[in-house]
Amino acid sequence: MQSTVRVAVDAMGGDNAPSEIVKGAVEAVNECPEITVHLVGQLTAVQEELKKYTYDQNRIKVVAASEVITNEEAPVNAIRRKKDSSIVVALNLVKNGEADAFVSAGSTGAVLVGAQLIAGRIKGVERPPLAPLLPTMNGVSLLVDCGANVDARASHLVQFAKMGSIYMEHVVGIKNPRVAIVNIGAEEEKGNLLVKETFPLLKNCDEINFIGSIEAREIPNGAADVIVCEAFVGNVILKLYEGLASALMKKIKAGLTSTTISTIGAALVKPALKKTLKDFDMSSYGGAPLLGLNGLVVKSHGSSNALEIKNSIIQCISFKENDINTKIKEFIQKEN
């Protein structure tokens, strides 16, 4: 029998809450029999959305949380003051063993602060990074960090590389994943002070397969499996990736329907094109896990629709099955 994966979902987080969050949770439960969901949020709003769908009511439980943390609030103050917020209540479900994972499209700052204060960091982990998967020509690459640590140090980036390698090997299935650091050129002597300090540390790290620097233009080509950078650079890469992919999809679709002949041709290539465009649809890959915590935390985009929420919830199956946190914990403790 398959083991059940219990996911606490922040029903009030994100631009499209609670409608798209609830819809995504229902779709995840209907698609995966091993998932149960705790929808955490304001009871009336969540229950009204659930009335729209058919699902196994034994596998979705609504957990009351009267407060909502917004993007405008200072994360630390919000987590400390709003004890009955959907983020805090859901994270406490993970901390207390009532849920295996937490998914939120809410305030990134509040999720990051709450995850560290409530779930806690694995002993020895300096800074937990956000690590989304990016579609590439050869599959996917892991971008680490994309938004958690803007002012990172060299030692942080080395840990990012190690945790990212563990993730790619055990979740994605890439043996001896190639690790590269984002730089403005391939030469070792290039880069800012952080890159110049980090490069030799990665180069001398026997635990990873470091291949050197990677320029941003090589990321879509799949030139590395784990892409290491501090959060400012990583977030710029992620947002540009998302925006460019969306713009290209719109341009391609517009071009294929611009004339009668192109519309006829589009009908012929539609199946192959649909698959190709789906491969580069960021929402198909779910959210970004926050690595190095004592619990599973997945941060989805603030603008997430039901598809991304569904995939973020389904992601939690592989996280639990492969016990990534334990593997990271064992690796960090072995080093210390």
Side-chain angles (χ1 to χ4, degrees), residues 108 112 128-134 142-150 160 227-239 242 287-289 299 301:
T108 300
L112 296 176
L130 277 168
L133 289 171
L134 301 180
L142 190 73
L143 180 67
V144 53
D145 180 13
C146 82
N149 304 284
V150 174
F160 296 171
I227 301 156
V228 178
C229 55
E230 47 85 18
F232 187 93
V233 171
N235 198 262
V236 170
I237 290 172
L238 179 65
K239 297 296 172 58
E242 292 169 344
K299 176 64 180 70
H301 296 100

Side-chain angles (χ1 to χ4, degrees), residues 53-76:
Y53 306 104
T54 300
Y55 60 94
D56 182 349
Q57 295 188 12
N58 293 319
R59 293 173 50 220
I60 293 185
K61 178 183 178 182
V62 181
V63 179
S66 61
E67 297 175 301
V68 177
I69 295 176
T70 66
N71 289 324
E72 291 72 32
E73 296 179 81
V76 175

Side-chain angles (χ1 to χ4, degrees), residues 22-42:
V22 172
K23 182 181 179 183
V26 171
E27 290 178 354
V29 164
N30 287 340
E31 186 172 317
C32 298
E34 61 266 53
I35 287 176
T36 61
V37 169
H38 298 284
L39 276 172
V40 184
Q42 296 171 337

Side-chain angles (χ1 to χ4, degrees), residues 6-7 25 29 34 40 76 90 101 114 127 131 152 160 188 205 249 280-281 300 314 324:
R6 304 162 301 168
V7 184
V29 164
E34 61 266 53
V40 184
V76 175
R127 295 278 187 89
F160 296 171
E188 183 173 346
C205 185
M249 287 180 187
F280 272 82
D281 181 2
S300 297
I314 292 174
I324 294 304

